[in-house]
Amino acid sequence: MTGLAAPEAAPAIGRLLREGLIIAQGPGRLAVDEAALGSAAEVAGRRLQEQAEAEQPDPGLRGYVRGTVLVRLPEDDETRRAVLDHVAATTFEADREYDERTVTDLLRPWCEGTTVDAVSLRRFLVDDGFLHRESGAYRLVSLVGPGQSS
């Protein structure tokens, strides 16, 4: 039914049988054990959740930032600002000046595997007030004000 030749399908069928996800119902007849499949799906879902939490402990950034890679930029302004704040605070040091090439080079790893390029990300950080640009020099903007924490 899968279109695979028997030598290709046999190992997969054997594994599914060993894992209890399918059961033999006579010669050449197999059936899905729906309870076992549901249980396996729950376990896999928990593993994916644990992996996502390990890769990004901050639930507000999950789905947007994985480790030090920007997965995508959020649509809504508040979440977008939180993601850009994280990128800026993680990438740049306070009280240090950077030239344009260095800023772009530091942002490039964030953009691997996403549709956002380093130049656009740099522009977003400047436009949204996370980096200050003056005469080709960039500085991290401190957004911590009275009554706020970093």
Side-chain angles (χ1 to χ4, degrees), residues 43-96:
V43 169
R46 279 195 303 273
R47 283 186 187 153
L48 286 174
Q49 181 65 28
E50 289 168 1
Q51 180 181 359
E53 290 171 3
E55 290 175 344
Q56 182 46 254
D58 184 338
L61 298 177
R62 233 173 266 145
Y64 304 108
V65 175
R66 185 178 305 125
T68 57
V69 175
L70 179 64
V71 176
R72 65 188 177 96
L73 275 176
E75 299 281 329
D76 71 280
D77 288 339
E78 184 178 336
T79 308
R80 175 186 158 106
R81 288 191 57 76
V83 168
L84 291 174
D85 180 43
H86 174 76
V87 169
T90 305
T91 307
F92 302 102
E93 297 174 24
D95 302 322
R96 181 169 169 203

Side-chain angles (χ1 to χ4, degrees), residues 15-16 19-22 32-48:
R15 181 163 184 216
L16 291 170
E19 297 293 328
L21 298 175
I22 60 174
V32 173
D33 182 334
E34 291 187 26
L37 186 61
S39 179
E42 285 179 28
V43 169
R46 279 195 303 273
R47 283 186 187 153
L48 286 174

Side-chain angles (χ1 to χ4, degrees), residues 101-142:
R101 173 179 233 131
T102 301
V103 171
T104 303
D105 289 345
L106 289 170
L107 292 174
R108 195 166 279 117
W110 285 100
C111 301
E112 291 179 19
T114 187
T115 58
V116 178
D117 61 272
V119 173
S120 297
L121 182 55
R122 184 186 73 219
R123 172 57 44 209
F124 297 145
L125 291 167
V126 170
D127 289 349
D128 286 3
F130 295 98
L131 288 180
H132 176 72
R133 178 176 179 235
E134 187 176 324
S135 302
Y138 293 78
R139 285 184 152 308
L140 180 65
V141 174
S142 174

